Amino acid sequence: MDSHFDKESLSLLIKRALGNRTQKSFAEDIQLSKEHLSRLITQKRDTPPTIDTLTKIAANSQNTVSLAELLTVCGYDPDTIAVPAVTKRMMDALQLACRDLPYAFSYLPCKNTDFYQLALQFSDGPIRHWYFHFLSETTFAGADQELSTNLLYLISSKMESMDKISFVTSIPLLFQYYIEHRPYNLDLNLSLILINENTLTISKEMLLQTTPSLHTDVFDHYNLSLNPV
């Protein structure tokens, strides 16, 4: 960890993440005491928050504050942050399942703090890229905010009609929550994947949205091998 902790910049990022919520409401969303949050905003804390706290702030941000931004102003090096254990297990499960895909692909470089933690590039076939975003182990009080943040990122990012995006979780209730709150007006190919964390296998994949330029039959060739629970 770098010795430089920029309290002023962190305060500004938290205010941006706060959006139109009260400090009390935001503190509940990130599982932090209201007093602790207030000290961060008023720059009265001399040591930076933990990486876990910064991760929760980013996940519950109302105005797309990234984890990389938060880590940097707190003196952490985003490139050296270890992948959370649960994310690493889900990533291992995906990489095992991807071996059975019928098209040749290579892995694209991703940083642990990027929105996509795993990305494939195909050398042939109708799909060019497949991006994976791992959902946080958030409380359901924060799930709605994280969903809004994730969809805002997709809306504000340039995605090609021949790319596929998948949200990934190992929590069945969170999987169901995203199905029940699926978007209907995004011009992208979006799916939801449920990982069985115990067996490191894919339990389910659900298409949430597709682009008009690609027939849904195309995705039959880009499904991961399932081992239903």
Side-chain angles (χ1 to χ4, degrees), residues 54-68:
L54 296 177
T55 301
K56 289 173 182 174
I57 292 173
N60 290 278
S61 164
Q62 203 165 72
N63 294 299
T64 320
V65 173
S66 72
L67 178 56

PDB file of all heavy atoms in Angstrom, residues 54-68:
ATOM      1  N   LEU A  54     -14.353  -0.160   0.469  1.00  0.00           N
ATOM      2  CA  LEU A  54     -14.274   0.524  -0.829  1.00  0.00           C
ATOM      3  C   LEU A  54     -15.030  -0.264  -1.900  1.00  0.00           C
ATOM      4  O   LEU A  54     -15.688   0.328  -2.767  1.00  0.00           O
ATOM      5  CB  LEU A  54     -12.818   0.718  -1.240  1.00  0.00           C
ATOM      6  CG  LEU A  54     -11.969   1.621  -0.338  1.00  0.00           C
ATOM      7  CD1 LEU A  54     -10.535   1.670  -0.825  1.00  0.00           C
ATOM      8  CD2 LEU A  54     -12.560   3.028  -0.271  1.00  0.00           C
ATOM      9  N   THR A  55     -14.950  -1.585  -1.811  1.00  0.00           N
ATOM     10  CA  THR A  55     -15.676  -2.423  -2.769  1.00  0.00           C
ATOM     11  C   THR A  55     -17.184  -2.215  -2.635  1.00  0.00           C
ATOM     12  O   THR A  55     -17.911  -2.127  -3.631  1.00  0.00           O
ATOM     13  CB  THR A  55     -15.329  -3.904  -2.550  1.00  0.00           C
ATOM     14  OG1 THR A  55     -13.923  -4.088  -2.719  1.00  0.00           O
ATOM     15  CG2 THR A  55     -16.068  -4.799  -3.534  1.00  0.00           C
ATOM     16  N   LYS A  56     -17.667  -2.102  -1.406  1.00  0.00           N
ATOM     17  CA  LYS A  56     -19.097  -1.895  -1.169  1.00  0.00           C
ATOM     18  C   LYS A  56     -19.531  -0.505  -1.624  1.00  0.00           C
ATOM     19  O   LYS A  56     -20.642  -0.319  -2.129  1.00  0.00           O
ATOM     20  CB  LYS A  56     -19.412  -2.099   0.308  1.00  0.00           C
ATOM     21  CG  LYS A  56     -19.323  -3.560   0.747  1.00  0.00           C
ATOM     22  CD  LYS A  56     -19.481  -3.718   2.247  1.00  0.00           C
ATOM     23  CE  LYS A  56     -19.349  -5.169   2.661  1.00  0.00           C
ATOM     24  NZ  LYS A  56     -19.365  -5.344   4.131  1.00  0.00           N
ATOM     25  N   ILE A  57     -18.666   0.490  -1.447  1.00  0.00           N
ATOM     26  CA  ILE A  57     -18.986   1.837  -1.920  1.00  0.00           C
ATOM     27  C   ILE A  57     -19.135   1.828  -3.441  1.00  0.00           C
ATOM     28  O   ILE A  57     -20.095   2.389  -3.991  1.00  0.00           O
ATOM     29  CB  ILE A  57     -17.895   2.846  -1.492  1.00  0.00           C
ATOM     30  CG1 ILE A  57     -17.920   3.045   0.028  1.00  0.00           C
ATOM     31  CG2 ILE A  57     -18.083   4.188  -2.201  1.00  0.00           C
ATOM     32  CD1 ILE A  57     -16.771   3.880   0.560  1.00  0.00           C
ATOM     33  N   ALA A  58     -18.192   1.181  -4.129  1.00  0.00           N
ATOM     34  CA  ALA A  58     -18.250   1.119  -5.590  1.00  0.00           C
ATOM     35  C   ALA A  58     -19.495   0.365  -6.061  1.00  0.00           C
ATOM     36  O   ALA A  58     -20.186   0.790  -6.989  1.00  0.00           O
ATOM     37  CB  ALA A  58     -16.991   0.459  -6.132  1.00  0.00           C
ATOM     38  N   ALA A  59     -19.795  -0.762  -5.397  1.00  0.00           N
ATOM     39  CA  ALA A  59     -20.933  -1.591  -5.802  1.00  0.00           C
ATOM     40  C   ALA A  59     -22.259  -0.879  -5.603  1.00  0.00           C
ATOM     41  O   ALA A  59     -23.230  -1.134  -6.321  1.00  0.00           O
ATOM     42  CB  ALA A  59     -20.928  -2.902  -5.026  1.00  0.00           C
ATOM     43  N   ASN A  60     -22.318   0.038  -4.625  1.00  0.00           N
ATOM     44  CA  ASN A  60     -23.568   0.737  -4.324  1.00  0.00           C
ATOM     45  C   ASN A  60     -23.556   2.187  -4.786  1.00  0.00           C
ATOM     46  O   ASN A  60     -24.396   2.987  -4.388  1.00  0.00           O
ATOM     47  CB  ASN A  60     -23.832   0.691  -2.818  1.00  0.00           C
ATOM     48  CG  ASN A  60     -24.188  -0.703  -2.344  1.00  0.00           C
ATOM     49  OD1 ASN A  60     -25.330  -1.139  -2.460  1.00  0.00           O
ATOM     50  ND2 ASN A  60     -23.202  -1.426  -1.833  1.00  0.00           N
ATOM     51  N   SER A  61     -22.601   2.523  -5.648  1.00  0.00           N
ATOM     52  CA  SER A  61     -22.486   3.893  -6.153  1.00  0.00           C
ATOM     53  C   SER A  61     -23.683   4.259  -7.018  1.00  0.00           C
ATOM     54  O   SER A  61     -24.141   3.476  -7.844  1.00  0.00           O
ATOM     55  CB  SER A  61     -21.202   4.021  -6.972  1.00  0.00           C
ATOM     56  OG  SER A  61     -21.221   5.179  -7.755  1.00  0.00           O
ATOM     57  N   GLN A  62     -24.173   5.478  -6.829  1.00  0.00           N
ATOM     58  CA  GLN A  62     -25.317   5.933  -7.626  1.00  0.00           C
ATOM     59  C   GLN A  62     -24.862   6.649  -8.898  1.00  0.00           C
ATOM     60  O   GLN A  62     -25.645   6.863  -9.805  1.00  0.00           O
ATOM     61  CB  GLN A  62     -26.195   6.871  -6.783  1.00  0.00           C
ATOM     62  CG  GLN A  62     -27.634   6.968  -7.258  1.00  0.00           C
ATOM     63  CD  GLN A  62     -28.535   7.587  -6.212  1.00  0.00           C
ATOM     64  OE1 GLN A  62     -28.476   8.785  -5.955  1.00  0.00           O
ATOM     65  NE2 GLN A  62     -29.369   6.780  -5.591  1.00  0.00           N
ATOM     66  N   ASN A  63     -23.597   7.017  -8.968  1.00  0.00           N
ATOM     67  CA  ASN A  63     -23.091   7.770 -10.123  1.00  0.00           C
ATOM     68  C   ASN A  63     -21.801   7.165 -10.667  1.00  0.00           C
ATOM     69  O   ASN A  63     -20.872   7.875 -11.042  1.00  0.00           O
ATOM     70  CB  ASN A  63     -22.866   9.235  -9.737  1.00  0.00           C
ATOM     71  CG  ASN A  63     -24.174   9.940  -9.421  1.00  0.00           C
ATOM     72  OD1 ASN A  63     -25.051  10.049 -10.261  1.00  0.00           O
ATOM     73  ND2 ASN A  63     -24.314  10.392  -8.183  1.00  0.00           N
ATOM     74  N   THR A  64     -21.754   5.840 -10.700  1.00  0.00           N
ATOM     75  CA  THR A  64     -20.657   5.101 -11.316  1.00  0.00           C
ATOM     76  C   THR A  64     -19.287   5.523 -10.821  1.00  0.00           C
ATOM     77  O   THR A  64     -18.443   5.994 -11.582  1.00  0.00           O
ATOM     78  CB  THR A  64     -20.717   5.218 -12.867  1.00  0.00           C
ATOM     79  OG1 THR A  64     -22.061   5.140 -13.304  1.00  0.00           O
ATOM     80  CG2 THR A  64     -19.929   4.083 -13.508  1.00  0.00           C
ATOM     81  N   VAL A  65     -19.062   5.396  -9.541  1.00  0.00           N
ATOM     82  CA  VAL A  65     -17.725   5.558  -8.969  1.00  0.00           C
ATOM     83  C   VAL A  65     -17.066   4.189  -9.006  1.00  0.00           C
ATOM     84  O   VAL A  65     -17.598   3.220  -8.473  1.00  0.00           O
ATOM     85  CB  VAL A  65     -17.794   6.088  -7.523  1.00  0.00           C
ATOM     86  CG1 VAL A  65     -16.407   6.086  -6.890  1.00  0.00           C
ATOM     87  CG2 VAL A  65     -18.381   7.488  -7.503  1.00  0.00           C
ATOM     88  N   SER A  66     -15.906   4.089  -9.644  1.00  0.00           N
ATOM     89  CA  SER A  66     -15.265   2.784  -9.818  1.00  0.00           C
ATOM     90  C   SER A  66     -14.415   2.419  -8.618  1.00  0.00           C
ATOM     91  O   SER A  66     -13.915   3.289  -7.885  1.00  0.00           O
ATOM     92  CB  SER A  66     -14.397   2.782 -11.081  1.00  0.00           C
ATOM     93  OG  SER A  66     -13.236   3.570 -10.882  1.00  0.00           O
ATOM     94  N   LEU A  67     -14.217   1.113  -8.447  1.00  0.00           N
ATOM     95  CA  LEU A  67     -13.358   0.631  -7.378  1.00  0.00           C
ATOM     96  C   LEU A  67     -11.924   1.100  -7.597  1.00  0.00           C
ATOM     97  O   LEU A  67     -11.216   1.444  -6.645  1.00  0.00           O
ATOM     98  CB  LEU A  67     -13.422  -0.893  -7.305  1.00  0.00           C
ATOM     99  CG  LEU A  67     -12.516  -1.566  -6.254  1.00  0.00           C
ATOM    100  CD1 LEU A  67     -12.784  -1.031  -4.853  1.00  0.00           C
ATOM    101  CD2 LEU A  67     -12.674  -3.077  -6.315  1.00  0.00           C
ATOM    102  N   ALA A  68     -11.494   1.132  -8.858  1.00  0.00           N
ATOM    103  CA  ALA A  68     -10.123   1.567  -9.157  1.00  0.00           C
ATOM    104  C   ALA A  68      -9.892   3.007  -8.691  1.00  0.00           C
ATOM    105  O   ALA A  68      -8.831   3.327  -8.144  1.00  0.00           O
ATOM    106  CB  ALA A  68      -9.853   1.443 -10.653  1.00  0.00           C
TER     107      ALA A  68
END
